[in-house]
């Protein structure tokens, strides 16, 4: 799959998460934020011929991308995306935390997609 094939769903999942949050479905919105983050990582990984088929491989890719791009915010952004992934299963995030953390995941996705080679 080409990087744009992962970049497109990353952007679509960000938009869909906004719609789900607006509709009050925090569980689906949370999972869509996670989907946006993982597809952004996979888009960058595909360009580098890195394998990203497990959670561990995604985390390792984020660490490497953080070094490559000299962007120390990437691991933290991915960590926040992981919180939303857990929230999908456990519905444990309070509303204020959701509102505070959503922009972090959006920034993470946009930063990664902004670093992609054309």
């Amino acid at each position: 799959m080409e990087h744009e094939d992962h970049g497109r769903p990353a952007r679509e999942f960000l938009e869909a998460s906004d719609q789900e949050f607006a509709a009050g479905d925090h569980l689906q919105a949370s999972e869509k934020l996670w989907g946006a983050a993982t597809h952004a990582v996979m888009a960058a990984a595909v360009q580098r011929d890195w394998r990203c088929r497990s959670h561990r491989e995604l985390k390792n890719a984020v660490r490497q991308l953080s070094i490559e791009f000299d962007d120390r915010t990437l691991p933290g952004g991915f960590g926040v995306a992981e919180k939303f992934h857990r929230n999908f299963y456990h519905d444990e995030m309070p509303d204020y935390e959701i509102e505070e953390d959503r922009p972090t995941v959006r920034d993470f996705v946009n930063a990664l997609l902004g670093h992609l080679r054309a």
Side-chain angles (χ1 to χ4, degrees), residues 62-73:
V62 170
R63 281 191 208 99
Q64 287 302 116
L65 292 166
S66 176
I67 293 166
E68 179 181 332
F69 301 143
D70 192 26
D71 186 342
R72 297 179 192 190
T73 68

Side-chain angles (χ1 to χ4, degrees), residues 24-45:
D25 191 342
H26 289 184
L27 297 183
Q28 284 300 315
S30 293
E31 191 65 351
K32 286 181 175 65
L33 276 180
W34 169 249
T38 58
H39 275 281
V41 174
M42 288 187 289

Side-chain angles (χ1 to χ4, degrees), residues 9-71:
R11 290 179 192 91
E12 290 171 356
F13 280 135
L14 278 181
E15 184 178 322
S17 74
D18 288 342
Q19 293 169 358
E20 296 286 357
F21 278 121
D25 191 342
H26 289 184
L27 297 183
Q28 284 300 315
S30 293
E31 191 65 351
K32 286 181 175 65
L33 276 180
W34 169 249
T38 58
H39 275 281
V41 174
M42 288 187 289
V46 164
Q47 283 191 344
R48 289 152 182 82
D49 292 323
W50 295 348
R51 183 183 155 114
C52 266
R53 295 190 178 155
S54 71
H55 197 114
R56 178 177 295 195
E57 289 173 341
L58 288 167
K59 285 183 81 125
N60 288 337
V62 170
R63 281 191 208 99
Q64 287 302 116
L65 292 166
S66 176
I67 293 166
E68 179 181 332
F69 301 143
D70 192 26
D71 186 342

